[in-house]
């Protein structure tokens, strides 16, 4: 017998788990990706990952650290040198002064989100999440016993996304504990205007709520140098947690390194959360992360320039499809597009995979509000973007 998952007793094993664990949803991105993951002919645009390798200067920093013996446990908050480098990085790009004792190094952005949920939520607490949304956010909330409350983005006839603050406020109840902001947004590309950030800050201050700001894609903007951060308008005492990752800016998805920023006075709490989640991330990876922060601004610019070119190619090419509705995203590196009329997102994603050999994420992977859309990751070479356009238009333009 070469498969473990056979027989009714294995199929029913989930009944032994807690109801909370039984409720974890299967990712539709994974469903599509598993169908074509091993096919070398597929243009893979389903995962939020660029096609460049990690820069050599980062790899070499990790290698030097390993050879120097930096292979033992580190403090759960992260190496002091890394937290100092994070402070310098934020001062350089956003003009804010964040001391090292407000940073915690995490096992990627996902672990940063999980630790934030663990810190803030009691079972039954509600967390408002603009939707369509990165699916991992809602599942982290469910795993910790919270209740995700989706607030749909508004979409105009040109496919542009917006999110009036009044819509967020209307979703608040006596059970609301946290409001999530992902700006620039995965998957919509929406960027929250700074005046609306100030209004949201004032709202949560008045209501005694928290903001969980996922600022992973801040550098990936196309009409401004960088996206604004809540750190620029909040004090060290505001109820704000910011999550981020090394994955996107420096092509380090497999390194599993991220960070979060918390209010003053919570270092001990996040030290314990880090200890009981991962103990620490690998020490040599932290040395590589220092190199990324200190030497990697040029690589970020290269990444953004490539994304801007691939973005333009996809928008120009796919907009020619009859019935397509595609608006240029303000930020991040995803195109959330309506390519055809009246075809379910999952069915379209599977058809593109099977017949055009292009892998995209169905819009419903990001919540029911994503129905009718597919998401394409354009952190790719211009040549690959042109090939994706050729294949998709060849199938859907008939």
């Amino acid at each position: 017998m070469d498969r473990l998952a056979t027989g009714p007793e294995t199929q029913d094993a989930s009944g032994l788990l807690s109801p909370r664990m039984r409720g974890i949803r299967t990712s539709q991105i994974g469903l599509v990706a598993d169908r074509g993951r091993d096919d070398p002919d597929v243009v893979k645009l389903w995962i939020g990952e660029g096609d460049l390798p990690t820069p050599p200067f980062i790899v070499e920093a990790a290698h030097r650290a390993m050879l120097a013996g930096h292979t033992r446990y580190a403090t759960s908050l992260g190496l002091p040198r890394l937290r100092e480098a994070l402070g310098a990085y934020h001062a350089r790009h956003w003009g804010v002064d964040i001391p090292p004792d407000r940073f915690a190094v995490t096992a990627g952005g996902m672990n940063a989100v999980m630790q934030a949920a663990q810190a803030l939520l009691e079972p039954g607490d509600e967390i408002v999440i603009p939707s369509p949304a990165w699916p991992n956010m809602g599942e982290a909330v469910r795993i910790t016993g919270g209740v995700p409350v989706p607030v749909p983005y508004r979409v105009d006839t040109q496919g542009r996304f917006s999110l009036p603050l009044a819509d967020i406020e209307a979703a608040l109840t006596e059970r609301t504990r946290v409001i999530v902001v992902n700006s620039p947004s995965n998957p919509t590309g929406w960027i929250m205007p700074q005046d609306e950030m100030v209004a949201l800050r004032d709202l949560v201050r008045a209501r005694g709520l928290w903001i969980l700001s996922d600022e992973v894609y801040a550098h990936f903007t196309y009409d401004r140098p960088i996206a604004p951060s809540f750190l620029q308008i909040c004090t060290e005492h505001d109820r704000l947690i910011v999550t981020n990752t090394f994955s996107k800016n420096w092509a380090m998805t497999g390194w599993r390194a991220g960070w979060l920023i918390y209010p003053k006075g919570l270092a001990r709490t996040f030290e314990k959360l880090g200890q009981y989640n991962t103990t620490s991330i690998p020490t040599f990876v932290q040395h590589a992360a220092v190199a990324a922060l200190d030497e990697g601004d040029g690589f970020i610019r290269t990444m953004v320039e490539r994304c801007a070119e691939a973005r333009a190619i996809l928008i120009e090419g796919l907009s020619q499809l009859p019935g397509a509705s595609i608006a240029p995203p303000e930020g991040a590196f995803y195109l959330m597009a309506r390519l055809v009329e009246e075809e379910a997102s999952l069915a379209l994603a599977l058809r593109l995979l099977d017949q055009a050999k292009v892998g995209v994420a169905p819009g419903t992977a990001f919540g029911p509000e994503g129905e009718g859309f597919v998401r394409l990751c354009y952190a790719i070479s211009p040549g690959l973007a042109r090939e994706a356009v050729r294949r998709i238009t060849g199938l859907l333009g008939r």
Side-chain angles (χ1 to χ4, degrees), residues 330-385:
E330 297 175 273
F333 48 58
Y334 307 104
L335 189 63
M336 194 70 162
R338 292 187 188 273
L339 299 182
V340 298
E341 296 178 346
E342 299 181 358
E343 182 170 4
S345 294
L346 181 56
L348 177 58
L350 293 174
R351 184 157 71 98
L352 286 169
L353 176 61
D354 293 341
Q355 299 180 32
K357 295 290 187 179
V358 178
V360 301
T364 45
F366 308 93
E369 298 80 10
E371 183 58 274
F373 291 90
V374 292
R375 190 199 74 172
L376 300 86
C377 174
Y378 56 79
I380 54 175
S381 69
L384 198 59

Side-chain angles (χ1 to χ4, degrees), residues 97-104 231 235-236 240 260-264:
D97 181 16
I98 310 295
D101 65 357
R102 288 183 58 201
F103 290 100
L231 295 165
T235 73
E236 63 186 8
L240 168 70
L260 58 79
I261 305 171
Y262 43 79
K264 183 178 180 180

Side-chain angles (χ1 to χ4, degrees), residues 247-307:
S247 292
K248 314 300 182 180
N249 292 344
W250 300 284
M252 294 176 68
T253 50
W255 294 70
R256 309 317 303 135
W259 71 92
L260 58 79
I261 305 171
Y262 43 79
K264 183 178 180 180
L266 292 184
R268 184 61 181 151
T269 295
F270 282 94
E271 183 179 27
K272 289 184 284 188
L273 281 171
Q275 176 68 34
Y276 300 133
N277 272 272
T278 60
T279 302
S280 68
I281 73 168
T283 308
F284 53 86
V285 169
Q286 297 190 54
H287 285 270
V290 171
L293 293 164
D294 288 351
E295 305 171 40
D297 285 358
F299 182 78
I300 294 174
R301 288 191 292 272
T302 297
M303 286 275 286
V304 175
E305 288 168 3
R306 289 176 90 248
C307 287

